[in-house]
Amino acid sequence: SGFCLTGDISPSYAVLSPNQLREIKNKILSIGAVVKCIYLMRDPFERCWSALRMNYRLNQVRGSEEAGLRRVYASSQWRARTRYDMVCENLKLVFMESELYFGFYENMFLETEIIRLSEFLGVQPNISHANTRVGVSEKKQRVSNNLKMEIKDYYADVYNYCFKNFPITKNLWGSQ
């Protein structure tokens, strides 16, 4: 069909079991394609708040982001997408190290990360991609420091896993 590179993206993939991931991988391999899995993470608090703003924007919901965030951050749906510790371990069960790329939103627009991702994919780096931001939502409201710390405490296992396995997150997300 003339394609040399294609991809698919969804936070919903984070909820897939190792068996479901393996099934997808095998389907891709069955057509003779090379599999590369890219998993991008973001500070869990910031991920939750950003997802809430996106939901507000898409559904044109109004109201306090503080109240909305308090209502959803620990829901099963949000927890499944934010438990990077579990997602990373599931990915490692299915994909070889050479097939896995772990990256972070906070530095993904840096030249060094664009080059690292490009090398992983086997494509020429295009540094101009650093200027393209899709779906960015402006922080129009504030979230209290108390709620921020409550969410960070709730996701402490995620922060600790990432700090241990991806030391750069200590700088990107700040230590607990």
Side-chain angles (χ1 to χ4, degrees):
S1 63
F3 292 103
C4 62
L5 183 68
T6 188
D8 194 18
I9 184 170
S10 170
S12 298
Y13 290 139
V15 303
L16 297 177
S17 70
N19 285 340
Q20 291 168 312
L21 291 166
R22 198 170 290 109
E23 186 177 322
I24 292 168
K25 177 183 176 179
N26 289 337
K27 284 181 182 179
I28 294 169
L29 291 173
S30 74
I31 64 167
V34 174
V35 173
K36 298 282 185 165
C37 179
I38 300 167
Y39 186 58
L40 299 175
M41 295 167 268
R42 183 177 192 168
D43 178 309
F45 164 74
E46 292 292 338
R47 193 216 79 76
C48 290
W49 192 14
S50 175
L52 178 82
R53 291 192 312 272
M54 183 184 76
N55 285 347
Y56 275 26
R57 195 172 64 244
L58 293 176
N59 300 314
Q60 299 181 343
V61 178
R62 300 196 191 280
S64 161
E65 289 179 12
E66 174 103 9
L69 193 52
R70 185 172 299 285
R71 190 174 55 251
V72 298
Y73 80 84
S75 68
S76 60
Q77 179 182 3
W78 286 46
R79 190 172 49 251
R81 288 164 175 75
T82 311
R83 287 299 309 263
Y84 308 146
D85 51 336
M86 296 167 77
V87 176
C88 288
E89 291 305 309
N90 284 344
L91 292 172
K92 289 178 187 179
L93 289 173
V94 176
F95 298 95
M96 295 183 297
E97 190 174 330
S98 62
E99 298 170 329
L100 275 172
Y101 173 95
F102 294 110
F104 305 94
Y105 176 82
E106 291 81 4
N107 70 353
M108 69 186 267
F109 298 102
L110 297 177
E111 182 175 335
T112 54
E113 282 304 300
I114 293 170
I115 291 170
R116 185 171 82 91
L117 178 57
S118 299
E119 287 174 353
F120 173 75
L121 293 172
V123 299
Q124 285 295 325
N126 183 341
I127 305 306
S128 70
H129 288 307
N131 302 319
T132 305
R133 311 282 168 106
V134 177
V136 174
S137 61
E138 182 182 342
K139 293 178 179 175
K140 295 179 182 176
Q141 298 181 31
R142 294 191 72 240
V143 171
S144 71
N145 200 50
N146 285 344
L147 179 56
K148 180 178 181 177
M149 294 316 298
E150 182 180 319
I151 294 170
K152 284 185 167 250
D153 286 345
Y154 184 80
Y155 288 108
D157 289 344
V158 177
Y159 282 100
N160 291 332
Y161 175 89
C162 289
F163 292 164
K164 179 182 176 195
N165 291 278
F166 311 107
I168 192 169
T169 57
K170 289 178 187 175
N171 295 328
L172 296 175
W173 302 345
S175 58
Q176 285 294 91

